[in-house]
Structures are given as structure tokens and as C-alpha cells.
Amino acid sequence: MPNTTLYYSRSTASLVVHWLLIELGIPHELHELDFDKRDQKSDDYLKLNPAGVVPTLVMDGQVITETAAILMHLADTHPRAGLAPAIASMQRAQYYRWMLFCANTLMPAYRAWFYSDEIAGEANIQATQDHARAKLEMAWGQVADHLGAHGPYLLGTQRSAADFLLTMLMRWSRNMPMPTDAWPVLQVYAQRMKALPSFREVYAREGLTDWT
């Protein structure tokens, strides 16, 4: 029986954890949370994840939260997959850089875009979105420049868990005024990641059809 359970909701940040579980061949169970019913705010779930968000991963009875942290742990516990550079290497430092860039720069800006009323109230939705959009487009421009000079992956020739997280965040832009596919180098990068059998499999399991 799998000793790993992913608490998830379709097409949310949990998608990348689900994707990496498949990529690494880790047996797991899925526990889907219905956001319409506010399952993520239930007493039982809040005992696992007091923030009331997804994803939450339970491995061997231990609870892990925060998307980037989960991905780094999975990569470290499955070293044969080569999705995390050697500890204390310069590549490892760059790996940390990009994981934290995703978590600290891109993800908060996306939250400001999608939940703009939470940031500064209903009266400031447009200003909040304008700021978030500008921040995202600047950040994606930086990623495009990096990949153009140092690709094909974030760490050069080595694909890492950071590439999985970045690809999921590219998908979040698909309905924005300037999606990441507007940058040719990012479009090629995304196509390379989406060609992985594990990407097609996670899409099938979550019933997704967009951005294929």
C-alpha cells in the first residue's frame, strides 16, 4: 500500500507535486479537496495544514507543506532521478535560487493577480492587477533571458525539480494579457517539459485539457 498521500485540488499548486510523484514513480494515494465545499478549511484538514491551502503531502506519517519544499524533498529522497544537484555544489546554489524565485517572486505576484481583492480591497483591484502584471512580465522576461543564455533548462543541461515548478507557473499565465508563450524561448522550454510522459499522465488524471 502506498505510504504517501497527496491532498490536492485539480489545477491548483498541487498539480506540480502530483506531476513529480508520477515522474519519480512514487506510489501514492490522492485525497481530493472540494474547494466549493471549502474542504480545505475543514477542521480535519486544518490539523494537517493550518494555512488551509494545498498541497499537503503525507509521507510515512510525516506532514510536508509548501509546494517548493515538497518538491525539493521528493527530489532529494529520489537521487537517482537526478532532479537535484549535489549538496554544496554551485549548481545546488542555482537550484535554490530558482526554487525560491518561483516561490518568492512568481507565486506571490500570481496571487495578487488572481485574488486582487484580498490585497488592497475591492476599490483597488485594477491597480493591484496592474502592479502584479508588471511584476510578472518583468520576472518572465528575466527567465527568458536566462534560458536564452544558459538553457535549455534552468540549470543548463540538467533538468531539475525547479523546471517542473516553473512550468506549472507558466501554465498559470495562459489566460493573462501576456502569457508566457509570448516569449519564444519560454514557449520552446514549455513544449520540452510538456513532452514528458509524466505531464501527459498528470493531465489525464486531473482531467485537464488546456495549455497542451
Side-chain angles (χ1 to χ4, degrees):
M1 293 292 293
N3 60 2
T4 299
T5 300
L6 173 64
Y7 290 80
Y8 83 112
S9 184
R10 298 180 190 193
S11 197
T12 65
S14 58
L15 174 67
V16 69
V17 178
H18 192 186
W19 182 12
L20 201 64
L21 288 170
I22 295 170
E23 174 71 19
L24 294 173
I26 301 173
H28 59 277
E29 294 180 346
L30 296 173
H31 187 113
E32 185 171 7
L33 301 175
D34 188 333
F35 278 20
D36 290 337
K37 296 180 179 178
R38 295 183 61 79
D39 288 348
Q40 78 276 22
K41 304 298 183 182
S42 68
D43 290 342
D44 287 343
Y45 185 68
L46 291 175
K47 291 176 184 177
L48 294 175
N49 188 333
V53 297
V54 293
T56 296
L57 193 71
V58 180
M59 296 186 72
D60 300 319
Q62 299 297 309
V63 177
I64 313 170
T65 62
E66 301 298 332
T67 305
I70 295 171
L71 298 180
M72 289 191 287
H73 181 69
L74 292 177
D76 282 345
T77 54
H78 295 79
R80 290 186 179 181
L83 294 180
I87 293 176
S89 67
M90 284 305 300
Q91 281 288 80
R92 185 76 174 200
Q94 292 302 310
Y95 172 65
Y96 290 146
R97 170 201 174 187
W98 288 111
M99 291 297 280
L100 293 177
F101 180 86
C102 289
N104 293 345
T105 299
L106 292 174
M107 295 182 82
Y110 272 121
R111 183 158 192 90
W113 171 266
F114 288 116
Y115 300 96
S116 52
D117 60 314
E118 292 182 354
I119 305 301
E122 292 283 345
N124 298 293
I125 286 177
Q126 190 60 55
T128 302
Q129 285 197 328
D130 289 345
H131 179 77
R133 177 184 173 184
K135 187 171 184 178
L136 284 165
E137 290 178 5
M138 180 180 294
W140 284 118
Q142 293 171 356
V143 176
D145 289 345
H146 173 79
L147 289 173
H150 305 290
Y153 298 107
L154 289 172
L155 303 184
T157 58
Q158 180 183 5
R159 188 171 65 227
S160 72
D163 293 297
F164 287 77
L165 180 54
L166 190 77
T167 302
M168 182 195 72
L169 294 175
M170 289 180 67
R171 177 179 176 270
W172 286 7
S173 76
R174 65 194 183 280
N175 295 320
M176 292 186 68
M178 189 172 179
T180 53
D181 288 346
W183 285 269
V185 68
L186 294 182
Q187 184 178 44
V188 171
Y189 171 85
Q191 289 171 343
R192 185 178 298 111
M193 292 297 295
K194 290 190 287 185
L196 293 172
S198 56
F199 182 85
R200 295 192 292 272
E201 181 62 23
V202 75
Y203 252 49
R205 294 187 189 185
E206 295 205 8
L208 304 177
T209 58
D210 55 29
W211 205 62
T212 54

